[in-house]
Every structure is written in structure tokens, then in C-alpha cells.
Amino acid sequence: MRIDILTLFPEMFRGPFDASIVARAREQGLFQIELHNFRDWTTDKHHHVDDDPYGGGAGMVMKPEPLFAAVEAVQDQAEPPGRVIMLTPQGRLLNQGIVEELAGQPRLLLVCGRYEGFDERIREHLADDEISIGDYVLSGGEPAAIVLVEALVRRIPGALGNEESLDEESHTQGLLEYPHYTRPAEFRGWSVPDILLSGDHPEIEKWRRRQSLLRTARRRPDLLSRALQNGAVSDEDRRWLEEELETNLSDLM
Ligand code: ADE
């Protein structure tokens, strides 16, 4: 996979992309990231990338010319053309389903904005998609692009070294993950649940599954509701959960 990132601040990516799993995956050639400063595509003397909004009002708006020129030039640098994704607070709210969908693409172009917003023609005629990482406003799309790349890299075969952990982690199966423990078995008087020390693997699996359900029900009823509706929760799981919570889960469906 190739990811091109268009930004006014390429230096914001150096720390996050030069460490840990992202750095290793790049070194191993599992995916390629190219950073581009779209100010390089300005043609005026002062290299303006923004201008006043028509109709007045506070703040500046990203101009269309440099972004169109940058995206078109970057598309020409490699094959196939990439899907153009703007990072904005108005985009589709990022979740694991969207990560899976994007991880299947051979190439992505991530466009990071600054200032008050993008000229609407960029949104309408240049972008294929818009992604938001949450209902809050950042000063720019760069941290959002970093978040997206982190989530994508985890889905690239070979990037983690331990592919099993992928299928178990939170959100992959639509539920939150079960609790983890490691040595010591007792710490400051707090013990690890006996079942995990029993060596009885089928029972451990069952306990983990149930903890995962319980945790999702308590912390993220919205996710549990979706899991109940799409058949990810068996009848037996559901009965157990209803007993444990002393509620009827039909209310959530
Ligand atoms: N740019 C500014 N805020 C953002 C957000 N919440 N998600 C993605 N990009 C953004």
C-alpha cells in the first residue's frame, strides 16, 4: 500500500512515523508513505494557500488551486491513482469498519487542511471521501492522518509480527476486548482471576468471551446493540448476559 500525505506541515509526521510499528513496516517495505507540502504547488509570489472567505466572516479558507495542482501531480507520481481522502471534522466518523475498507485499497492520498476550512470545490470535485476522527475540532487534519495511518498499518499482513492479536483486539469483532493480566499473580493484594491460572483453555476462552460481552454492555451499549443485531452474539451468550445484567436485551435491539 502507498499513502501520500498532502500537508503544510510535513515535519509533524516525523516523530510518529519514525517509531514503533509504523517505522518497522516502512523499513520492511510493507507500505510506503510519501509526504508532500502543497505549498510547493503555489504559483503566486507569496506562496498563499489560503484566502478570505467570500461573503465575509472570520478565518481563512484553503484555496483550490494549490490543492488541485498538488493532488494531480502526486497522482501522476505512481500507479494506480489513489483514493483522495480529506481529513475534516465533517467527514464520516472513523471506526474499525472504515479502517478495514480503506486497508483494502492499494493507494490513498490524505489531504490535511488547516485554517477555517476548505473551499467547497475541493470537497465537491477533488475529494473522494472525508474522514473525521471524532466530534471535536483540531487545528488541522495532521493528527487525524496520523491516527488513520496507525490504524491502517495494523491491518497490513506482517506488520504486527503476531497476526493473532489482530482478531482478538477491541473492535475487530465488534466488541471490546476482555481484560488481560500478566505476572505477578498477586500484586498489592489484587489477584489475577483463578480461571486464568487453571490451564483449562476451553474454560478460559469462555470466560474471555463473557468478559468481552460484559465489558461491551457496560461501557459501549451502542456497540453491543450492533453486535446483537448483526448476529455476532449467540443465543447462549445473550441468555448469559441477560442473566448477568438482569435485563432484557431486546431493548437494545
Ligand atoms: N481536522 C480538524 N478536526 C478534525 C477531526 N475531528 N477529524 C479529522 N480532521 C480534522
Side-chain angles (χ1 to χ4, degrees), residues 1-5 31-34 108 110 149 152:
M1 176 184 228
R2 170 172 167 144
I3 302 177
D4 290 283
I5 300 179
F31 83 118
Q32 185 185 353
I33 298 183
E34 300 295 336
L108 301 174
L110 307 183
V149 168
L152 286 170

Side-chain angles (χ1 to χ4, degrees), residues 86-91 113 131-145:
M86 284 164 59
L87 284 314
T88 82
Q90 299 187 20
I131 300 280
S132 164
I133 60 162
D135 292 337
Y136 42 81
V137 180
L138 305 167
S139 302
E142 287 79 5

Side-chain angles (χ1 to χ4, degrees), residues 199-223:
D200 184 341
H201 289 286
E203 280 303 308
I204 291 174
E205 280 309 300
K206 192 162 143 193
W207 180 85
R208 286 180 164 164
R209 171 83 186 157
R210 289 180 166 181
Q211 290 297 316
S212 172
L213 287 163
L214 203 53
R215 183 161 276 209
T216 309
R218 289 190 173 133
R219 297 183 182 204
R220 294 291 305 274
D222 58 316
L223 291 183

